[in-house]
Amino acid sequence: MPPVIVAIAGGVGAARFLRGLLEIVDAGNVTAIVNTGDDTVFHGLHVSPDIDTVVYTTAAAIDADRGWGLAGETWTAMESLQRYADHGALTWFNLGDRDLATHLWRTGRLRDGASLSEVTDQLRHAWGLGFRVLPMTDDPVATMLNTATGKLGFQEYFVGHHHDVAVSGVHFEGVLSSRPAPGVIEAIMSADAIVVCPSNPLVSIGPVLAVPGIREALVARRDVCVAVSPIVDGAALKGPADRMLRELGHESSVAGVARLYAPFISTLVIDEADRMRADEVRAVGLKVAITDTIMSKPGVGASLARVVLQAASGKVPV
Ligand code: FO1
């Protein structure tokens, strides 16, 4: 029987991993559980950046250079919005003309009473995807950051301030009263392999873990749970994960990631560049698999996914 696989996912890194995974396994055996702490409302529209990045990337529709939004995008609506810039129009967060259709439709469906998981399932279906995409929760959860310029919502920090402001704290508003979306706990409990994708541990994986019941379910499945380090040679490949780890008192290294994840993973997959640090990861009580993890070249995502599946079944390439 082919393995049933669950991926805990943030945005770009997770989406690229999933694209590789789907090259080597049947999509029907894959479920992605996706962060919605970045979700926000702009112009009255519900935007789910990580869900959309996962869907657009695996549908081969993403703008590969930006890592978000659609390829071949046009920006007429945003340019037109500039006319109202002096009268309160929000112009710092860019919604492309094609991407707008997704947000218009999603917002209408939610307003009609559909849940985010129902809408997300229709979204992936409309993009011709055969794997399951589950939001971490159907309830509103907002990642908030305490920063040098005050409390910011995630997109205000990430896009509005170009993640260029020091962070002193992170919390997830609404998370304590949130429930895992339908199917999330069942998927984790019945998976043969669980992969924590190479996403920011604090603001992409962190919100998923904070939904009551999800972290506990992963702890119970620790033996089959494998993470791919988003930190390579001390640095994040994209985004502010390295700085944020340091600012919040963690180490920006594979050892720092290992310490955060040790309670619920059994193996950490690290890049060849970190081979010399493998013993620091083992010292935390984890197995280590070493391979190429930088998915910028064709084929790396698929070979990384192969290593992850081997590790989840107890075989660890060193
Ligand atoms: N990222 C940017 O840096 N600038 C933007 O204007 C922007 C718009 C945007 C619109 C829709 C969407 O799904 C994603 C968008 N992103 C943008 C990316 C997004 O802010 C981040 O990649 C994630 O939230 C972090 O995982």
Side-chain angles (χ1 to χ4, degrees), residues 38 47 49-50 52 68 92-95 99 154-155 158-159:
D38 299 6
V47 181
D50 284 354
D52 293 347
W68 56 268
W92 56 266
F93 193 79
N94 299 288
L95 296 175
D99 190 32
F154 183 80
Q155 298 302 340
F158 194 90
V159 179

Side-chain angles (χ1 to χ4, degrees), residues 137-141 172-180 210-212:
T137 179
D138 282 338
D139 301 316
V141 172
F172 311 115
E173 265 176 25
V175 80
L176 289 179
S177 55
S178 72
R179 285 153 306 157
V211 176

Side-chain angles (χ1 to χ4, degrees), residues 12 40 75-76 92 98 101 118-119 137 148 169 177 199 218 225 245 248 274 290 295:
V12 179
T40 191
W75 303 94
T76 308
W92 56 266
R98 292 172 196 206
E118 287 164 345
V119 180
T137 179
S177 55
S199 300
L218 292 177
C225 193
L245 281 164
L248 295 176
D274 286 306
I290 306 173
M295 292 174 281

Side-chain angles (χ1 to χ4, degrees), residues 150-235:
K151 184 169 145 178
L152 299 174
F154 183 80
Q155 298 302 340
E156 289 175 287
Y157 160 76
F158 194 90
V159 179
H161 288 79
H162 312 289
H163 48 77
D164 197 17
V165 48
V167 175
S168 55
V170 175
H171 63 280
F172 311 115
E173 265 176 25
V175 80
L176 289 179
S177 55
S178 72
R179 285 153 306 157
V184 164
I185 298 297
E186 295 80 353
I188 293 172
M189 294 314 288
S190 60
D192 298 308
I194 301 169
V195 52
V196 178
C197 293
S199 300
N200 185 316
L202 303 176
V203 292
S204 297
I205 302 302
V208 184
L209 299 173
V211 176
I214 296 188
R215 187 184 172 99
E216 294 77 358
L218 292 177
V219 169
R221 303 304 321 284
R222 185 177 184 273
D223 283 358
V224 298
C225 193
V226 174
V228 179
S229 176
I231 300 291
V232 174
D233 198 15

Side-chain angles (χ1 to χ4, degrees), residues 20-298:
L21 177 67
L22 293 164
E23 286 174 35
I24 63 161
V25 299
D26 188 51
N29 292 322
V30 176
T31 298
I33 299 170
V34 185
N35 171 40
T36 58
D38 299 6
D39 284 24
T40 191
V41 174
F42 288 111
H43 318 291
L45 302 176
H46 185 115
V47 181
S48 292
D50 284 354
I51 287 175
D52 293 347
T53 297
V54 163
V55 167
Y56 293 166
T57 302
T58 51
I62 198 86
D63 182 296
D65 294 333
R66 282 197 310 271
W68 56 268
L70 288 162
E73 189 58 280
T74 55
W75 303 94
T76 308
M78 289 308 299
E79 283 153 21
S80 306
L81 211 51
Q82 286 295 340
R83 181 181 297 278
Y84 310 110
D86 293 340
H87 306 285
L90 186 155
T91 53
W92 56 266
F93 193 79
N94 299 288
L95 296 175
D97 300 331
R98 292 172 196 206
D99 190 32
L100 264 173
T102 301
H103 313 307
L104 286 166
W105 166 78
R106 173 165 40 223
T107 305
R109 295 283 298 119
L110 291 171
R111 204 162 292 156
D112 289 345
S115 67
L116 186 60
S117 25
E118 287 164 345
V119 180
T120 302
D121 192 54
Q122 291 166 348
L123 178 76
R124 67 99 198 155
H125 190 259
W127 282 94
L129 301 171
F131 69 108
R132 265 202 317 171
V133 183
L134 302 179
M136 64 187 197
T137 179
D138 282 338
D139 301 316
V141 172
T143 297
M144 304 297 300
L145 301 104
N146 297 327
T147 75
T149 54
K151 184 169 145 178
L152 299 174
F154 183 80
Q155 298 302 340
E156 289 175 287
Y157 160 76
F158 194 90
V159 179
H161 288 79
H162 312 289
H163 48 77
D164 197 17
V165 48
V167 175
S168 55
V170 175
H171 63 280
F172 311 115
E173 265 176 25
V175 80
L176 289 179
S177 55
S178 72
R179 285 153 306 157
V184 164
I185 298 297
E186 295 80 353
I188 293 172
M189 294 314 288
S190 60
D192 298 308
I194 301 169
V195 52
V196 178
C197 293
S199 300
N200 185 316
L202 303 176
V203 292
S204 297
I205 302 302
V208 184
L209 299 173
V211 176
I214 296 188
R215 187 184 172 99
E216 294 77 358
L218 292 177
V219 169
R221 303 304 321 284
R222 185 177 184 273
D223 283 358
V224 298
C225 193
V226 174
V228 179
S229 176
I231 300 291
V232 174
D233 198 15
L237 295 175
K238 200 171 191 312
D242 44 9
R243 253 190 37 222
M244 198 184 281
L245 281 164
R246 284 192 297 272
E247 286 165 356
L248 295 176
H250 307 281
E251 201 179 293
S252 174
S253 70
V254 289
V257 175
R259 276 181 220 114
L260 281 168
Y261 287 171
F264 57 87
I265 67 165
S266 52
T267 305
L268 185 66
V269 181
I270 66 173
D271 193 81
E272 286 289 354
D274 286 306
R275 180 174 283 279
M276 300 298 283
R277 303 202 66 168
D279 280 344
E280 292 175 57
V281 176
R282 292 190 187 101
V284 178
L286 297 179
K287 290 176 274 183
V288 182
I290 306 173
T291 189
D292 284 340
T293 65
I294 302 176
M295 292 174 281
S296 46
K297 283 182 272 158

